[in-house]
Amino acid sequence: MNAGETLESYLGGAWVRGQGVETELVNPSNGDVLTSASAKGLDLQSALAHARDKGGRALRALSYAERAKLLGAVADVLAANRARYEETAIANSGNTKIDAAIDIDGGIGTLKYYARLAAPLGEARALIDEKPVRLAKAENFQAIHMLVPRHGVAVHINAFNFPSWGLWEKAACTLLAGMPMLAKPASATCLLSQQMVRDVIAAKVLPEGALSLLCGGIGDLLDHVIADDVIAFTGSSATANRIVANPNVLARGARVNVEADSINAALLAPGVAAATPAFDAFIKEVAREMTVKAGQKCTAIRRVFVPAQQANAVTDALAARLAKTTVGDPRDEKTRMGPLVNRAQQAAALAGIARLAREAQFVTGSPQAPRLDGIDGEKSAFVAPTLLKAGDGAGSALHDTEVFGPCATLIPYQNEAEAFALVARGGGSLVASVYGEDRDFLARAVTELGALHGRVLAVEPSIADAHTGHGIVMPQCHHGGPGRAGNGAELGGLYGLRFYHQRVAVQGSTELLGTLQATAAALK
Ligand code: NAP
């Protein structure tokens, strides 16, 4: 990579460079500038038109099984270049190798999963949602619901923390559904997305126009979307609010999916004694969620609810575990947690920690950046693993501050009803996890917490070592939370294709519906 050159975007079937510098991409361990991004002066209206005309037509001409093969081919290209991507993730995102694997392998794995899932859909080019229903006395007049691919472009606007997974988890459902995509990764980490797209374009495994990439700011992109297009956004709720309020998006009625921030919770069930499998699984998961990717996961545990009687035991166990987390430059083999992605994120995280500290006490960490051997504190973006402990759950910052870093707050509760009520104060989150031995309690927790979460992980001793983790998004499962989390819906197997299709109720003769059923694939 050449620090002097602005990254190119792939638009309208060509690599093009924006003017000047909008964002510098840095190594957050030492402040070195790696490259820069700019979308200034790029013709985004023509780029959208090109994707719609060329990519959309080409993809819709293919069957689901043929599109599934395309996903497999993309995954193969990425897998072949994985080592280079890992270097970039370490340099530009401050990732450890494990962090990089979650992002890179998560993206490749999601593509492969959808390639396998869709292969049996065969020659179909549309999906049938439900069985036909009779509408009138006449038996030969019926209705059926179909999903047909939308004719626009899927505009993907992604967050900085998953430049690979965020790109490919959206791409998998989009391309499979027969829609072309224009991806706009977050500027701060778009180098990895750009390298991956460059390799896929060079390998010519996708039809022209199916995949476009914008490296740089959003510019006037949203002023050119039309009713056929969809926008899939991942990022902060503040940006989400700006997107849904964009006058053109509103006027055109472009469909928007929002995956925003959330104040996810982990809950230790009442009556779980220290040093039991459920207790240990809880401690392990909370510590892991705080430190993996330096806490920069939308799904990371931010609030830790414990029975008041167990608050001290949990505090001690978590503090002991966090003390073993070696923080430093991720190029060092001994490092277990790297920096945040840049100094702006560091400043935002430290400000959030200071806000939480008005309602809770520090167990580990502080509102200042840590001093680390061999690291220049003026140029790097480190935040220490920070655990706070509140006296009770009465404060408001505890429930509405998303510190996007290695920070969580322990909150004691007195009884089950209070525990559920406190978790709900997050206002809608992506995921809650519950740890306990009493299956009746776990079942009640699923119903109570499920109302305000997109996913609930219930850990009992039998799956303590087998579960996939609180923060890991599995493509088989729904991803997206209500309320503050944006009300989005992604992934969840074939369900994830719905956003990129139009659901249409077809009313017609039984014979016509039979013909449609014979050529389309059943969704379930
Ligand atoms: P962000 O600041 O909201 O940015 C997200 C994306 O929006 C970036 O690509 C950004 O581009 C773009 N953007 C900025 N201003 C825009 C505008 N006016 N119109 C349209 N797009 C605009 O979020 P972030 O800091 O990258 O990511 C961290 C946040 O994402 C956290 O709050 C986290 O919880 C959330 N997140 C959620 C999920 C989920 O699945 N729910 C996953 C990951 C992260 P530039 O980078 O060029 O400014």
Side-chain angles (χ1 to χ4, degrees), residues 450-477:
L452 269 177
H453 290 84
R455 176 162 62 87
V456 177
L457 166 67
V459 179
E460 52 189 295
S462 62
I463 59 159
D465 296 321
H467 68 85
T468 48
H470 168 108
I472 298 293
V473 176
M474 303 300 292
Q476 296 87 340
C477 296

Side-chain angles (χ1 to χ4, degrees), residues 325-363:
T325 306
T326 314
V327 181
D329 188 326
R331 285 170 298 185
D332 185 337
E333 290 288 317
K334 291 195 293 297
T335 295
R336 291 290 164 270
M337 191 182 93
L340 300 199
V341 77
N342 57 30
R343 286 179 68 81
Q345 286 300 318
Q346 180 197 41
L350 293 175
I353 289 170
R355 183 157 190 257
L356 289 174
R358 285 185 222 135
E359 297 176 2
Q361 310 291 318
F362 285 101
V363 177

Side-chain angles (χ1 to χ4, degrees), residues 157-161 184-187 216-218 222 233-236 239 242-243 259-261 298 345 402 404 430 479:
I157 304 174
N158 281 321
F160 73 79
N161 56 335
K184 196 218 98 51
S187 297
I218 195 77
L222 299 183
F233 169 76
T234 298
S236 62
T239 308
R242 283 204 284 280
I243 291 171
E259 298 291 348
D261 47 46
C298 52
Q345 286 300 318
E402 185 203 41
F404 209 59
L430 291 168
H479 176 60

